[in-house]
Amino acid sequence: MARKVFISILGTSFYSSCKYVDESIEFESSETRFIQQATLEYIEASKWSEGDAAYFLLTDLARTSNWNESIIQRKNIFTKENIPYRGLQAILKEMHLPIAPENIPIPKGENEKEMWEIFNKLFDALQEEDELYFDLTHSFRYLPMLVLVLGNYAKFLKHATVKHISYGNYEARDKMTNRAPIINLLPLSVLQDWTFAAGQFLDSGNVKKLANLSNETLKPILKEAKGTNEEAKNLKKFINDLSSVIDERTLCRGISIVKSDSLKELKKDASKIEKSFIEVLNPVFNKIKESTQDFDENVNVQNGFLAAQWCLHNGLYQQAITIFHENIITLLCDEENLNWTNEDERSVVSIAFHVDKNHAETWNLHVKADATEDEINAKIEKVKHVFTNCHFQLLYDTFSQISDIRNDFNHSGMRNNPMSAHKLRKEIEKVMQSVETILKS
């Protein structure tokens, strides 16, 4: 089971007491000098288990100023008088938490070497799949950035999850009530996650991270709102349909690509996403929506060529050449009024590409063995008509090259004179560009 891990940096300042509040969830902490105590109450650490952890990063001065149990007084910075003052270590003991708080000694962080020492000490304390709860209140200088970067680093290398980031804003307290707000900074981490996932999709076509985030982030929102949060609901459906569209391309579902049912649903969803649950995410999702604009939401053979180009752009070379190869047959079937979803009808175009048009006696070798003479003659007449198609004539030689490339791919190059990886990629790019030039002209 994943550990819950609280992480906080303790400063050296003289801290005045107040109550920390989050009015959005009607939370109010105990009266305390230490935001760490308030935050542990905020995240309900009293309900954690013995296997969980709380790490406090301390410089030597922070240890003697604010941590040690032996601290009983400090000089008030305003009155210059010694007053009762207790170290955080003693206060944590009185909280009777199920976890044993641990302190991690850190240097002052005055140079790059010390910065990496702090980073490595904290990273080494983490375990696989930890759930991280950060308090950034007393993170001096660059440490808030270090903690945020460490969170992303741990997500990648230790499959950690950032569950909480907060900041106790003592300076913004209500001086009449002596209550200070706890600011929830987790949306900044969530924004990072969504931005990285969207960037991954736009750069490589990989939609997995977006789909995972949709489940992790939106499912709890919809559960709490009992499905009534329209923004979250629309966004979740958009991501689900985007996954379907991308699956059709990566798994070479030609009929679905051309018919565009999933794409039509995706574009309908996209029109509903006017704003997301985090406002600054809106431009991110606009970028994703823009990536679908060139595709026709109606039945259109051109969607097949666009899907092949999308695969090529995203390094999915086998999918690119497979979809492109089959879509040429689809195009000619469409132009010849043949049913392009029917395997037998598609074979008419395939036969035309593979036979010698000057030796008709060999054509029936490509017709089903159990076909009647009338069926054979009918198919031969269709093949003859394909020969007259101008696109067929222009694409005849190129189609043979594409077939050879596809075979090289499908047989993993396990044949005589296989192409090198570099040449294979270049040949795919060249023949696809050649066909597009022919079709545009």
Side-chain angles (χ1 to χ4, degrees), residues 78 105 118 133 137 176 186 189 192 211 278 298 312 332 336 348 368 399 423:
F78 301 109
I118 295 169
Y133 295 74
T137 307
M176 295 293 292
L186 186 61
S189 179
Q192 272 190 323
I278 299 177
N298 301 304
L312 180 66
L332 292 170
E336 293 295 309
V348 170
K368 286 182 179 179
F399 187 85
K423 183 179 180 182

Side-chain angles (χ1 to χ4, degrees), residues 125-365:
L126 303 182
Q127 298 178 8
E128 284 285 327
E129 299 184 351
D130 277 347
E131 296 178 354
L132 307 179
Y133 295 74
F134 291 116
D135 160 49
L136 300 183
T137 307
H138 303 310
S139 301
F140 51 91
R141 297 191 294 274
Y142 57 78
L143 284 182
M145 180 178 289
L146 181 146
V147 169
L148 289 173
V149 171
L150 178 123
N152 285 322
Y153 192 69
K155 287 177 194 175
F156 178 67
L157 289 178
K158 294 193 175 181
H159 306 100
T161 307
V162 176
K163 291 289 189 179
H164 173 92
I165 307 175
S166 64
Y167 175 85
N169 194 354
Y170 176 80
E171 299 302 322
R173 72 192 181 284
D174 183 328
K175 294 181 180 178
M176 295 293 292
T177 62
N178 201 30
R179 298 163 84 239
I182 287 184
I183 300 172
N184 179 16
L185 301 178
L186 186 61
L188 293 177
S189 179
V190 174
L191 173 62
Q192 272 190 323
D193 290 341
W194 281 97
T195 304
F196 289 156
Q200 188 179 60
F201 166 70
L202 293 171
D203 289 342
S204 67
N206 189 334
V207 76
K208 182 179 179 180
K209 185 65 177 174
L210 278 172
N212 289 342
L213 273 175
S214 176
N215 286 328
E216 292 169 8
T217 309
L218 302 178
K219 192 175 180 180
I221 294 174
L222 290 169
K223 184 177 180 180
E224 184 177 346
K226 297 182 179 178
T228 60
N229 187 317
E230 290 299 318
E231 291 174 15
K233 189 161 62 174
N234 291 338
L235 185 54
K236 183 171 176 59
K237 190 168 187 308
F238 175 78
I239 299 298
N240 287 343
D241 287 331
L242 179 64
S243 297
S244 297
V245 169
I246 301 308
D247 280 347
E248 290 173 359
R249 298 174 193 174
T250 57
L251 297 172
C252 300
R253 301 299 87 195
I255 292 175
S256 298
I257 290 169
V258 174
K259 284 190 172 181
S260 309
D261 291 338
S262 296
L263 186 71
K264 180 181 288 187
E265 198 65 23
L266 176 64
K267 289 197 170 188
K268 185 171 72 175
D269 298 336
S271 67
K272 295 178 182 178
I273 304 177
E274 296 176 359
K275 57 181 181 177
S276 71
F277 63 106
I278 299 177
E279 186 176 351
V280 290
L281 271 177
N282 295 337
V284 175
F285 285 104
N286 285 338
K287 282 283 187 184
I288 296 175
K289 288 190 280 186
E290 286 171 11
S291 71
T292 69
Q293 287 180 352
D294 291 341
F295 289 83
D296 190 349
E297 64 186 52
N298 301 304
V299 179
N300 192 331
V301 174
Q302 290 303 316
N303 282 343
F305 293 118
L306 288 172
Q309 283 293 346
W310 181 90
C311 290
L312 180 66
H313 172 75
N314 289 293
L316 303 171
Y317 297 107
Q318 187 169 16
Q319 290 91 331
I321 200 65
T322 300
I323 294 172
F324 208 76
H325 184 257
E326 290 295 333
N327 207 62
I328 291 172
I329 296 175
T330 301
L331 171 70
L332 292 170
C333 283
D334 190 54
E335 292 180 349
E336 293 295 309
N337 293 318
L338 299 170
N339 182 353
W340 54 268
T341 67
N342 181 277
E343 188 176 353
D344 192 50
E345 292 276 84
R346 292 177 67 84
S347 71
V348 170
V349 175
S350 184
I351 289 170
F353 274 121
H354 288 96
V355 299
D356 184 342
K357 63 181 179 181
N358 297 315
H359 294 83
E361 67 275 7
T362 65
W363 298 359
N364 60 359
L365 296 176

